[in-house]
Amino acid sequence: MSSRKQFINQISGGALALASTAFLTKPLSDSFYEELNSFSGSAFDIAKDEDFWATVQQAFTVDRSLINLNNGGVSPSPEFVQAAMKKHLDFSNQAPVYNMWRILEPRREGVRQRIARMFGVDTEEIALTRNASESLQICQLGIDLKKGDEVLTTDQDYPRMITTFQQRERREGIKLNQFSIPVPAENDDEIVSLFEQNITPKTKLILMSHIVNISGQILPVKKVVQMARKKGIPVIVDGAHAFAHFTFKQEDLDCDYYTTSLHKWLFAPHGTGMLYVKKDKIKDLWPMMAAPETMDENIRKFEEIGTHPAANYLAIGEALTFHEGIGSDRKEARLKYLNDYWIDQLIDNDRVVLHTSRNPKYACAIATVELKGIAPNDLNAALWRDYRIITTPINHDQFKGIRVTPNVYTTLEELDRFVDALKDQLKS
Ligand SMILES: Cc1ncc(COP(=O)(O)O)c(C=O)c1O
């Protein structure tokens, strides 16, 4: 019997209170994975199998009185990731200097190994950080630049990362150059050539997003990296939204620096991120907090941040197990399916403008939609006020709309309610 059917039977047996308590506190057991493994078919078939996804949906403790379509900001962790973190935290608090530092801390090496394996790189190239911002700033601030040097990025890159370069402008006299990219962008060569055209003799560093956060656009990282490498310019890749969202490895990007948050699409505890630095680049990248010279070539120099919790990092392990249990390809196919599911129901309306590609090569779970005649902030506010739906307003010079990001725990019924809400708004 599927766990969903068991759950429904429990409820219909009058055990609602008992079931919901057990549901919130009981860690997922091996049966969860047995359940997922009992489904067969291609990732594409599984993407449409509501029984499979009902099992996944139950692993989360999300508030079903609202519909959270902003999973791009930060994601909830499955219940058993939360449970693992609490377990490690409780153990730490019994005697932090011993339990946390001497017993738990060394165990993060196992997590490092697993992240490295997932990304297809050497364990000695992975640092565990607190988020993508930290990983990015290590790279953005840790590469030596002198007055007059230029850095290049788009005007769709993440505001904090722009702020980081602007601070270097004020402090060190470097210059930040930004350029626009098309929305959506469905021609790799055009993107590569835009980066290339904007390189000047003074360009010393490039920052590019793997996924643009305001549109869900996936960019051709490998082609940009290889073009820039020929000119001797390093590229920092902002993968905040990409890692564990769709399937790829480092070799698909050929990048030297890759950064991501793990609390977005991996569903790891909040405050976890990853930094990849290619082995031969570690030595010349300064850590953000000082580390001893003996650590110059050691990836762990980027983790010299003083006292920090061990629990968050160790529970990344459970998030990895959850991700592997679903299967990366099945997760990607489901996320695409959910996106198509709501877009298909709206796209024929003349007042609906999508600012995200429908080509699966260029987008996955993130999409930005505009309802002509309704300001994004007003629409976002109405969705929350009248329907308890969370989205994100996007107000960029080039395009406007609300950003919609469902997740593996999102049900089709929730997306139907979202579609109905947008149709209501279009009528009014
Ligand atoms: C493209 C991009 N880069 C970096 C970040 C920073 O991520 P975090 O806040 O997890 O550090 C975000 C956050 O949404 C983002 O969208």
Side-chain angles (χ1 to χ4, degrees):
M1 190 192 291
S2 79
S3 57
R4 183 170 71 114
K5 287 177 199 135
Q6 278 167 353
F7 182 64
I8 290 166
N9 285 351
Q10 277 173 314
I11 291 175
S12 59
L16 179 58
L18 195 66
S20 59
T21 315
F23 194 55
L24 284 172
T25 55
K26 188 183 69 152
L28 284 176
S29 65
D30 291 348
S31 65
F32 174 74
Y33 296 105
E34 277 166 27
E35 173 79 19
L36 294 189
N37 285 333
S38 69
F39 289 83
S40 57
S42 68
F44 187 69
D45 293 335
I46 298 278
K48 293 178 285 187
D49 189 330
E50 292 313 307
D51 280 345
F52 180 94
W53 296 101
T55 306
V56 172
Q57 287 152 13
Q58 288 168 40
F60 289 83
T61 59
V62 293
D63 181 349
R64 297 285 178 184
S65 73
L66 53 82
I67 302 175
N68 183 358
L69 296 178
N70 179 9
N71 290 283
V74 62
S75 274
S77 294
E79 194 277 337
F80 86 141
V81 174
Q82 298 174 43
M85 184 168 146
K86 284 177 200 139
K87 180 185 70 185
H88 296 311
L89 198 58
D90 288 346
F91 183 64
S92 297
N93 277 297
Q94 288 171 16
V97 290
Y98 183 76
N99 288 6
M100 187 171 78
W101 282 352
R102 295 182 60 182
I103 299 181
L104 295 184
E105 193 63 16
R107 290 193 200 160
R108 71 194 259 149
E109 292 304 319
V111 174
R112 191 191 313 280
Q113 283 168 14
R114 291 183 64 190
I115 293 277
R117 193 178 166 84
M118 179 170 160
F119 197 41
V121 297
D122 195 290
T123 306
E124 295 303 315
E125 296 176 313
I126 293 293
L128 300 175
T129 62
R130 288 170 287 189
N131 46 46
S133 301
E134 183 177 13
S135 303
L136 280 156
Q137 292 198 9
I138 288 170
C139 301
Q140 289 182 277
L141 301 172
I143 293 178
D144 282 330
L145 295 171
K146 57 180 191 323
K147 191 173 174 160
D149 284 348
E150 296 180 5
V151 295
L152 180 65
T153 194
T154 77
D155 63 8
Q156 292 180 29
D157 273 75
Y158 195 62
R160 183 177 294 110
M161 291 28 267
I162 303 298
T163 304
T164 305
F165 280 141
Q166 286 170 341
Q167 183 171 298
R168 282 196 88 166
E169 282 187 311
R170 298 197 302 282
R171 188 174 180 187
E172 297 165 72
I174 68 156
K175 182 163 180 280
L176 167 65
N177 294 322
Q178 287 174 268
F179 64 94
S180 299
I181 51 171
V183 180
E186 296 177 321
N187 181 338
D188 287 357
D189 294 341
E190 186 185 1
I191 295 296
V192 179
S193 121
L194 278 169
F195 271 95
E196 192 162 14
Q197 283 161 29
N198 283 285
I199 290 173
T200 75
K202 292 183 178 172
T203 306
K204 293 292 179 308
L205 182 60
I206 290 176
L207 166 71
M208 78 174 294
S209 290
H210 193 179
I211 297 191
V212 176
N213 78 297
I214 48 180
S215 65
Q217 173 74 46
I218 300 175
L219 291 174
V221 168
K222 188 175 192 170
K223 291 181 179 168
V224 174
V225 166
Q226 292 181 340
M227 175 277 295
R229 184 173 290 134
K230 282 195 200 130
K231 298 174 188 294
I233 305 171
V235 178
I236 304 166
V237 184
D238 179 346
H241 281 283
F243 194 71
H245 180 167
F246 56 98
T247 308
F248 62 90
K249 289 196 184 283
Q250 185 272 345
E251 66 179 5
D252 301 313
L253 310 174
D254 194 19
C255 56
D256 296 333
Y257 308 91
Y258 194 84
T259 60
T260 194
S261 292
L262 301 175
H263 48 224
K264 290 187 190 283
W265 295 97
L266 187 64
F267 319 145
H270 305 150
T272 52
M274 175 275 260
L275 167 66
Y276 160 78
V277 185
K278 206 181 179 86
K279 266 256 193 55
D280 61 353
K281 306 287 178 204
I282 295 174
K283 188 167 182 300
D284 290 332
L285 183 65
W286 290 100
M288 212 158 41
M289 286 199 199
E293 198 175 352
T294 50
M295 292 184 81
D296 270 358
E297 292 182 48
N298 186 339
I299 191 78
R300 292 164 196 76
K301 72 180 178 184
F302 303 115
E303 299 173 357
E304 287 292 300
I305 61 166
T307 303
H308 52 268
N312 304 31
Y313 296 104
L314 293 193
I316 295 170
E318 272 71 18
L320 284 163
T321 302
F322 185 76
H323 178 79
E324 288 154 8
I326 293 178
S328 187
D329 290 343
R330 298 195 289 201
K331 181 170 167 183
E332 175 180 343
R334 174 66 171 182
L335 292 172
K336 280 190 181 131
Y337 176 77
L338 292 178
N339 234 21
D340 285 340
Y341 184 83
W342 71 263
I343 294 171
D344 283 345
Q345 296 184 58
L346 292 164
I347 200 67
D348 289 338
N349 189 309
D350 290 345
R351 284 178 59 206
V352 173
V353 185
L354 194 69
H355 295 299
T356 303
S357 173
R358 298 221 65 191
N359 180 339
K361 187 177 163 197
Y362 296 112
C364 191
I366 305 175
T368 296
V369 66
E370 177 181 359
L371 301 195
K372 277 203 178 141
I374 313 182
N377 289 358
D378 294 343
L379 180 58
N380 192 64
L383 286 174
W384 176 244
R385 187 188 59 233
D386 300 338
Y387 312 92
R388 285 295 183 248
I389 296 175
I390 302 175
T391 57
T392 322
I394 302 295
N395 292 289
H396 188 269
D397 286 347
Q398 244 173 303
F399 64 102
K400 298 189 187 330
I402 52 165
R403 189 185 72 177
V404 181
T405 46
N407 204 328
V408 293
Y409 67 78
T410 308
T411 66
L412 297 189
E413 189 269 346
E414 286 167 341
L415 290 180
D416 287 336
R417 275 192 281 149
F418 167 65
V419 168
D420 287 347
L422 287 197
K423 285 184 177 166
D424 274 356
Q425 290 298 307
L426 284 166
K427 270 189 237 147
S428 62

